[in-house]
Amino acid sequence: MAHADELERLVNGVLWPGFLGEGVPDWLAEALGDGLAGVVYFAQNLGGDTSALSARIHGISPRALIGIDEEGGSVTRLESRTGSTLPGAAELGALDDVDATRATGYEIARRVDAIGADVVIAPVADVNTDPRNPVIGARAFGATTDVVSRHVAAAVRGIQATGLAACAKHYPGHGDTHTDSHHDLPRITLSREEIERVHLPPFAAATDAGVWAIMTAHIAAPHWGAAPATVNPRVLAGLRDAGFDGVIVTDALDMAAIRESVGIGGGAVRALAAGADLLCIGNPTNPGAAMLPDQDERDYRSARDAVVAAVRDGELPRERVEEAASRVAAMARAVRARGPVAEEPFDAEGIADRALRIDGAPQALADLPTRVIDLRRASSLAVDSAASHVALALAAGGDIVRIDPERVTDAAVDSAARAAGDAQSVVLVDRMDADAPQRAVLERIRAVTPDIVAVNVGLPVDGAGAVITASAASLLAARAARRALLDPNR
């Protein structure tokens, strides 16, 4: 295959694709040799010897940036098969110990460094002001600006103390939405003043902490115009005006908010024109059954070819691409020059135990197999909220009964409730606000089995009876909840 010309090499320097498989496909090897900025790892890439995979990528291109979404808690790539053993943002925000957050950031980055990756696509800097939020929720440090701001700064400092780059997300704030941008374009109705007062300060805190990169959000608001933030020059100019001079990274261009509106190629051109520097193309497995065998290469070429054509046609100034590539290259030089990352003492279990919230008066369970009635929402592209490792850890060898609260019949709920009265049982939930179907099913179960305890791996709520809130769909949080079930008063 022919090598890229000078313009194609320049454009490659702002592209950050995902890829299929646990090795380096031919198209990716060629692109890396022709100046590709790097790659983003997803769970499907990490089943083999990931350190060797990273070494292969860096062998082809020593300055390639390998990024990974590793947030701790409910979102992990490194431990996607078993569940994260690191605290998540909601746990850390509830604990409100910035030293614990800094230590967690450091440990996340240390583990990312151990597999040869360079950029931690975290922390989440969104203020989760809408409890219905389907894509942020427990990924945020909290629902108040001051809590989120101080923990974002602590996480950035912890991550970057290792020499890796942190990438705070999702500017200008994805916390007040109830639409998942993986599936549609969220539109927020907040005033400009409220966005600036509530949702922008965490990104300023990240900037003050020296964050290398900030990721955009595919969200729209009327006062910005119709274009989503990722491709909106007014929004991205605000980030520069606020003093951020690092790398502006797009959220994945294959998400429906972009793919189904202007397409990956159109999104790539418009994002660069708006002021973005590094184009995250996305996870090629996201189309599911519609995924093509060469989906990764197709998505990469859609972005590359569109940007090349836009520069050649004069639609996109070459100088804008050069500026973006220069910022990306500067970050790559810095993080690739890092030294060894030392291991520091880290008590993940202690943090998880301290972060638990116990409401009501749960009766202690015996250390025996436990039936788990699992009412959680289905997993999404962003969060594996229904991960089996949570229920398995709580069950400790007991039965797991999965119930969809939005489709279950009254008879099925009554049957589960009666069975719960015959064997040690708990109810597993992740959305407990008053009008949520999970809350209604839990109350119906309690009409038959009043003392049953709920384990909540979502956001905490008041007035729901005996509830142990762990605030993460992780193995670490589930184990902490199990310990509290056995000894709620410890």
Side-chain angles (χ1 to χ4, degrees), residues 39 135 143 150 152 154 164 170 178 208 240 273 371:
V39 299
V135 70
R150 62 176 169 264
V152 164
L164 277 74
H170 309 80
H178 55 274
D208 291 344
R240 296 297 186 206
R371 175 179 286 116

Side-chain angles (χ1 to χ4, degrees), residues 361-375:
Q363 295 184 4
L365 301 186
D367 191 7
L368 298 169
T370 303
R371 175 179 286 116
V372 174
I373 303 172
D374 188 351
L375 306 182

